[in-house]
Amino acid sequence: MPMETPNPSATVRRNPHRRARPTPSTTNHPDHLSMDPSLAVKQIRPFPLHDLLEPSDEQPATPAEAVDSGNLRVFIRIRPLETLHKPNKAASTIRPRPKAPSVNAIRGVQSKKIKTVCLSVNGPHSLTLVPPPSMVELKRAKTEAFEGFSFVFPPESLQREVYDRVMEPLISDFLGGKSHLLAAMGATGSGKTHTVFGTPREPGLVSLALQRLFGSNPPSRSQCIINIRCEPQAADPDNDVLQNKAVLTIADLAGAEREKRTGNQGMRLLESNAINNTSMVFGQCLRSLLEHQKNTKKPLQKHFQDSLVLTVKSGEDDYLDTSMLLRQASPYMKIKFCNVEESSNLPCLKRQPNLITKIEQSKRRKLNNSDAPVFKGGKHFDGQSIFKTEVKREQLQQVENIQDPVLSTMPTNAEFQRVEMHNADIVLSCEGEKGKESDNTIQRLEQSLMNEKARTAKLEKALENSRRHSCSCHKQCLYSSSPKHIADVVSRPTVELQDEAHSETNNSWSYNVVQTFKHDPIDQSQSPELAECRYSLDGQSSMAKEPKNSFQNLEVSLTGQHNEELSHSPHGQSNICPTEASSNSFSQENEAKELLNSLEGIEYSSYVDPGSPHSKASENSLTICGIFPEHDISMPVGQNLEIGLTSQNSEELSSSPHGQSNMSATKDPSSIKFSLENEAKEHLNSLEGTEDTSPVDHGSPHSEASENNLTTCGISGEMDLSIPLTELVVPPRKDIGCTDKHPVTKVLLEEKPESIRPQKPRWRLLPTSAMLLEDSSLDTEDQNADPKGRRGCRKVMATVEKGRTPGSISLVDMLRRNLQIR
Ligand SMILES: Nc1ncnc2c1ncn2[C@@H]1O[C@H](COP(=O)(O)OP(=O)(O)OP(=O)(O)O)[C@@H](O)[C@H]1O
């Protein structure tokens, strides 16, 4: 009987029967299923029960018929709406069985008060899906009728009803030796678990089946796959059925979830994705069966009867889920199986062991060989693509060989997962190689960093040692100025700073000096109240000295081949004049001097201008610059400072009328090198802010008079020598055979007028770490950065530095730079 449809154009028929039927839907608007019962009643026309109850050739009249039809049985169970699902203890048991499902559905719709429904049962084998108004307005959905189901269970259906129609035929077959599969599909919360397992009050299919089989209670699980295998206890040759070991599989599949609806996040979202993938894969399996059976050349052989229970919700909000499931599963009803002997089923249910072994061996072999890329015919094939191809080929072979479309497909998906895992392993291995390279690079960098650190530490240590020795020498000198410290100085062990031997021939002089910077104990026997500090440059120069009556003795011992003479410059400067070509000793002394210069508070006075006539006159002179840091040793008026230079030759220490000490060498003036003084002058000029306090007028006759003199400069300054120093006398060195015949050069410090007293800036040394930072590379001195006053001496400096080792050059440069920066 045709039905009136207000909007028949919006109806789409799914899985129509061969004999066309009018769409039972009355409208495409869900308002006819709205909350107002009266309105719903007005709009919904009476359901054509007589049409639905008419026997049809395509519809299975009984469950047995459905099983025997050879089609995949697809059942639909509509879960009651929550508003309609009011727990009624008596309802589930006492509620009478409805006469017709469609009537119950209509009842449910009519009694709906809060929510509208999107499903209406047209009959035992069909239903109509009505989109909600919002989607109708957007023309995104149309009313659809789905037909051809094995049976449609309305919301009011009882568990027992479902069991009787769905499970009981399977149990009967199972007991008869036939294997079956039952799977529940549907959106989450649609009632799969309720259908399969149920509750203690409303036991589901499993419970009822087990009750039937064993009379036991099954565990309650939300989703699982249950295999019930029939094991014959005794071989009965007459009963072939029991020997088949039939398996009944009941699967409570995971429910597809819509993320928008569930709002899952994090792990729940991942689980949801996995669940949806499972549903999708299962649907693909079924579709593949459907596609496969289109190939008449390879008909599927049925080895068991499968059943599918679709659970849907009829709520308006469940429209999308329900629609998707129905669209997906409605074609499955067309899946047909060919009847085969049940005896051949069991080997097909499980993979044949030999086949599994072959497949696994093949995969392992390919896995082992898949790491290395394979080149075939000029094309690049990697192991992954080959492996995938092989697996797909095997997959097809398995489908053909196993002849079980469902079970053969599902393991194949597992194989795909293994392939993906294999691919991931390959990616990881590639990443691992890159990681190894990165690790090697990091290790190399770390090693180089450690080497640099060790090198830096080594240099710092060397510098610190140099500084310490320098400080010790210097402090000994200072201590020597105080009688109180004499004992300390004497008792202090000799400190030696040895550097490698130098051997160089430079113009008129040569030297081979073991650079020893040595503090010798003071011989107090000579003058207990005196203290002497001798800087012994053990080499080939020697100086002699003789004691003088003074409180303090400062002995600068230049041990060498040269005879030197200390003389007192008339202009008050201390000159040490080697009598022979003694620039070798100067280079060493210069280094020692520079080391000393690095001390804190060191102050210098430059008295000699190398370019001046005086410097010319003082060629071949050795200039000893200030070695009295930290303290103001500006000498009181009338004080004398005698500096004894131990030498093999006679030396003379004279006192300058300006109160400054001059050590002048008078012997062999031709051999005295101008470079020595030049070097000293250059070094002094390199000190930024240092005032040239030389009272010497280089154009004066004194300049000429001081020719060939070695000028010792900068003993005075801001350093305040608090001790009463009136005269410094260097006692004779008995150990080197000094006698009175070799008079000790006497340095008399006379009062210097305030007007000519130089303004000495204070010098501060940076800490060692700062020095290292300033010149960590220890490069040689940048000549371009030299002040103009030094450029004239560059050549001389280079000559002098030739005799130095790279380490000493670096050290000296670093010390010098440190002083220059400030
Ligand atoms: N036919 C029904 N009659 C009464 N209650 C039902 C029915 N179907 C489902 N329910 C109830 O709906 C709720 C959800 O059902 P169920 O857990 O079976 O859904 P599900 O499809 O298994 O969900 P999931 O996929 O998340 O496991 C349960 O509380 C269940 O009791």
Side-chain angles (χ1 to χ4, degrees), residues 763-781:
W763 297 94
R764 292 180 306 167
L765 281 178
L766 291 175
T768 307
S769 58
M771 296 166 65
L772 289 173
L773 287 175
E774 289 177 13
D775 191 4
S776 59
S777 61
L778 295 178
D779 291 331
T780 54
E781 186 177 8

mmCIF file of all heavy atoms in Angstrom, residues 763-781:
data_model
loop_
_atom_site.group_PDB
_atom_site.id
_atom_site.type_symbol
_atom_site.label_atom_id
_atom_site.label_comp_id
_atom_site.label_asym_id
_atom_site.label_seq_id
_atom_site.Cartn_x
_atom_site.Cartn_y
_atom_site.Cartn_z
ATOM 1 N N TRP A 763 100.144 51.655 38.634
ATOM 2 C CA TRP A 763 99.850 50.589 37.692
ATOM 3 C C TRP A 763 99.155 49.457 38.418
ATOM 4 O O TRP A 763 99.520 49.117 39.528
ATOM 5 C CB TRP A 763 101.136 50.071 37.047
ATOM 6 C CG TRP A 763 101.818 51.107 36.243
ATOM 7 C CD1 TRP A 763 102.807 51.927 36.645
ATOM 8 C CD2 TRP A 763 101.508 51.459 34.916
ATOM 9 N NE1 TRP A 763 103.159 52.778 35.651
ATOM 10 C CE2 TRP A 763 102.367 52.514 34.559
ATOM 11 C CE3 TRP A 763 100.576 51.002 33.983
ATOM 12 C CZ2 TRP A 763 102.329 53.103 33.321
ATOM 13 C CZ3 TRP A 763 100.559 51.587 32.752
ATOM 14 C CH2 TRP A 763 101.420 52.631 32.423
ATOM 15 N N ARG A 764 98.196 48.975 37.762
ATOM 16 C CA ARG A 764 97.493 47.826 38.341
ATOM 17 C C ARG A 764 97.555 46.668 37.371
ATOM 18 O O ARG A 764 97.392 46.834 36.172
ATOM 19 C CB ARG A 764 96.032 48.152 38.636
ATOM 20 C CG ARG A 764 95.862 49.161 39.745
ATOM 21 C CD ARG A 764 94.407 49.412 39.967
ATOM 22 N NE ARG A 764 93.734 49.790 38.729
ATOM 23 C CZ ARG A 764 92.434 49.819 38.579
ATOM 24 N NH1 ARG A 764 91.646 49.513 39.572
ATOM 25 N NH2 ARG A 764 91.907 50.163 37.419
ATOM 26 N N LEU A 765 97.756 45.554 37.933
ATOM 27 C CA LEU A 765 97.792 44.356 37.089
ATOM 28 C C LEU A 765 96.430 43.689 37.106
ATOM 29 O O LEU A 765 95.772 43.610 38.137
ATOM 30 C CB LEU A 765 98.821 43.367 37.600
ATOM 31 C CG LEU A 765 100.261 43.669 37.243
ATOM 32 C CD1 LEU A 765 101.151 42.618 37.866
ATOM 33 C CD2 LEU A 765 100.439 43.680 35.743
ATOM 34 N N LEU A 766 96.040 43.248 35.965
ATOM 35 C CA LEU A 766 94.826 42.453 35.901
ATOM 36 C C LEU A 766 95.123 41.078 36.450
ATOM 37 O O LEU A 766 96.276 40.635 36.477
ATOM 38 C CB LEU A 766 94.345 42.336 34.457
ATOM 39 C CG LEU A 766 93.815 43.614 33.845
ATOM 40 C CD1 LEU A 766 93.502 43.369 32.375
ATOM 41 C CD2 LEU A 766 92.569 44.085 34.565
ATOM 42 N N PRO A 767 94.094 40.398 36.908
ATOM 43 C CA PRO A 767 94.333 39.014 37.338
ATOM 44 C C PRO A 767 94.779 38.169 36.169
ATOM 45 O O PRO A 767 94.607 38.510 34.995
ATOM 46 C CB PRO A 767 92.972 38.564 37.880
ATOM 47 C CG PRO A 767 91.993 39.509 37.321
ATOM 48 C CD PRO A 767 92.724 40.789 37.101
ATOM 49 N N THR A 768 95.322 37.044 36.511
ATOM 50 C CA THR A 768 95.853 36.170 35.475
ATOM 51 C C THR A 768 94.801 35.742 34.491
ATOM 52 O O THR A 768 95.029 35.681 33.296
ATOM 53 C CB THR A 768 96.460 34.926 36.137
ATOM 54 O OG1 THR A 768 97.383 35.358 37.114
ATOM 55 C CG2 THR A 768 97.137 34.049 35.104
ATOM 56 N N SER A 769 93.601 35.466 35.016
ATOM 57 C CA SER A 769 92.530 35.024 34.115
ATOM 58 C C SER A 769 92.200 36.099 33.116
ATOM 59 O O SER A 769 91.975 35.825 31.940
ATOM 60 C CB SER A 769 91.301 34.657 34.922
ATOM 61 O OG SER A 769 90.892 35.766 35.697
ATOM 62 N N ALA A 770 92.200 37.349 33.594
ATOM 63 C CA ALA A 770 91.915 38.433 32.667
ATOM 64 C C ALA A 770 93.006 38.553 31.636
ATOM 65 O O ALA A 770 92.756 38.825 30.466
ATOM 66 C CB ALA A 770 91.780 39.746 33.432
ATOM 67 N N MET A 771 94.208 38.313 32.040
ATOM 68 C CA MET A 771 95.302 38.377 31.080
ATOM 69 C C MET A 771 95.154 37.297 30.036
ATOM 70 O O MET A 771 95.381 37.507 28.849
ATOM 71 C CB MET A 771 96.635 38.232 31.801
ATOM 72 C CG MET A 771 96.898 39.384 32.765
ATOM 73 S SD MET A 771 98.245 39.003 33.865
ATOM 74 C CE MET A 771 99.570 38.897 32.691
ATOM 75 N N LEU A 772 94.735 36.140 30.504
ATOM 76 C CA LEU A 772 94.556 35.064 29.542
ATOM 77 C C LEU A 772 93.430 35.376 28.586
ATOM 78 O O LEU A 772 93.488 35.077 27.404
ATOM 79 C CB LEU A 772 94.270 33.767 30.286
ATOM 80 C CG LEU A 772 95.471 33.196 31.024
ATOM 81 C CD1 LEU A 772 95.034 32.011 31.863
ATOM 82 C CD2 LEU A 772 96.551 32.795 30.039
ATOM 83 N N LEU A 773 92.389 36.005 29.141
ATOM 84 C CA LEU A 773 91.278 36.345 28.267
ATOM 85 C C LEU A 773 91.687 37.398 27.264
ATOM 86 O O LEU A 773 91.249 37.382 26.120
ATOM 87 C CB LEU A 773 90.102 36.852 29.106
ATOM 88 C CG LEU A 773 89.370 35.780 29.903
ATOM 89 C CD1 LEU A 773 88.316 36.407 30.774
ATOM 90 C CD2 LEU A 773 88.743 34.775 28.941
ATOM 91 N N GLU A 774 92.501 38.305 27.715
ATOM 92 C CA GLU A 774 92.906 39.356 26.803
ATOM 93 C C GLU A 774 93.761 38.818 25.675
ATOM 94 O O GLU A 774 93.702 39.275 24.558
ATOM 95 C CB GLU A 774 93.692 40.420 27.555
ATOM 96 C CG GLU A 774 92.832 41.248 28.481
ATOM 97 C CD GLU A 774 93.701 42.212 29.236
ATOM 98 O OE1 GLU A 774 94.849 42.384 28.862
ATOM 99 O OE2 GLU A 774 93.219 42.776 30.195
ATOM 100 N N ASP A 775 94.534 37.831 25.999
ATOM 101 C CA ASP A 775 95.427 37.322 24.978
ATOM 102 C C ASP A 775 95.520 35.820 25.112
ATOM 103 O O ASP A 775 96.536 35.255 25.465
ATOM 104 C CB ASP A 775 96.820 37.951 25.129
ATOM 105 C CG ASP A 775 97.683 37.652 23.928
ATOM 106 O OD1 ASP A 775 97.193 37.048 22.970
ATOM 107 O OD2 ASP A 775 98.836 38.027 23.962
ATOM 108 N N SER A 776 94.388 35.199 24.899
ATOM 109 C CA SER A 776 94.385 33.753 25.045
ATOM 110 C C SER A 776 95.135 33.084 23.931
ATOM 111 O O SER A 776 95.636 31.995 24.060
ATOM 112 C CB SER A 776 92.945 33.246 25.081
ATOM 113 O OG SER A 776 92.285 33.628 23.895
ATOM 114 N N SER A 777 95.185 33.777 22.807
ATOM 115 C CA SER A 777 95.869 33.171 21.674
ATOM 116 C C SER A 777 97.372 33.300 21.769
ATOM 117 O O SER A 777 98.106 32.570 21.132
ATOM 118 C CB SER A 777 95.387 33.827 20.383
ATOM 119 O OG SER A 777 95.700 35.204 20.419
ATOM 120 N N LEU A 778 97.796 34.200 22.616
ATOM 121 C CA LEU A 778 99.225 34.398 22.794
ATOM 122 C C LEU A 778 99.926 34.685 21.476
ATOM 123 O O LEU A 778 100.997 34.164 21.187
ATOM 124 C CB LEU A 778 99.863 33.174 23.469
ATOM 125 C CG LEU A 778 99.398 32.924 24.904
ATOM 126 C CD1 LEU A 778 100.045 31.676 25.445
ATOM 127 C CD2 LEU A 778 99.679 34.126 25.777
ATOM 128 N N ASP A 779 99.281 35.455 20.713
ATOM 129 C CA ASP A 779 99.892 35.809 19.444
ATOM 130 C C ASP A 779 101.059 36.746 19.699
ATOM 131 O O ASP A 779 101.193 37.373 20.736
ATOM 132 C CB ASP A 779 98.872 36.484 18.543
ATOM 133 C CG ASP A 779 97.823 35.505 18.107
ATOM 134 O OD1 ASP A 779 98.148 34.305 18.016
ATOM 135 O OD2 ASP A 779 96.695 35.935 17.883
ATOM 136 N N THR A 780 101.862 36.808 18.696
ATOM 137 C CA THR A 780 102.975 37.733 18.818
ATOM 138 C C THR A 780 102.445 39.147 18.768
ATOM 139 O O THR A 780 101.338 39.419 18.334
ATOM 140 C CB THR A 780 103.974 37.512 17.690
ATOM 141 O OG1 THR A 780 103.264 37.598 16.457
ATOM 142 C CG2 THR A 780 104.618 36.156 17.804
ATOM 143 N N GLU A 781 103.235 39.983 19.203
ATOM 144 C CA GLU A 781 102.802 41.370 19.348
ATOM 145 C C GLU A 781 102.462 41.982 18.004
ATOM 146 O O GLU A 781 103.120 41.742 16.995
ATOM 147 C CB GLU A 781 103.927 42.149 19.988
ATOM 148 C CG GLU A 781 103.522 43.563 20.324
ATOM 149 C CD GLU A 781 104.656 44.252 21.024
ATOM 150 O OE1 GLU A 781 105.737 43.646 21.082
ATOM 151 O OE2 GLU A 781 104.465 45.359 21.503
#
